Amino acid sequence: MYGSDECGSGSRSFRGSDIHEQISFEITVNADSTHLATALQSTYFPFKQRTPGGMYSDQAVSNLMGDLFK
């Protein structure tokens, strides 16, 4: 159904899920640079940082937000 928060046939909604919380956090934390680059009609180059658990980058969030602003 359009506008529904349900994920598939499960009874747990997406908005109440852990993945929703993680995505919301990433977008909130990384929004400033993407908004600024869009407002200035410039290019934002996402960063990459090596961590003990692997590699962290804001590339996915930046690309998603940049595409939404087009």
Side-chain angles (χ1 to χ4, degrees):
M1 177 195 301
Y2 182 75
S4 174
D5 286 341
E6 295 298 320
C7 289
S9 61
S11 61
R12 188 172 178 193
S13 72
F14 173 69
R15 289 188 186 214
S17 69
D18 290 338
I19 191 81
H20 178 267
E21 293 299 318
Q22 292 171 0
I23 292 171
S24 295
F25 175 78
E26 288 292 326
I27 289 174
T28 301
V29 168
N30 295 308
D32 291 345
S33 13
T34 306
H35 278 277
L36 182 61
T38 302
L40 298 174
Q41 296 180 349
S42 60
T43 302
Y44 173 70
F45 294 98
F47 70 88
K48 289 183 181 179
Q49 180 178 358
R50 190 171 305 275
T51 65
M55 183 73 72
Y56 176 79
S57 176
D58 66 342
Q59 181 176 0
V61 173
S62 299
N63 287 341
L64 174 71
M65 290 183 67
D67 289 345
L68 291 173
F69 288 141
K70 290 182 181 179

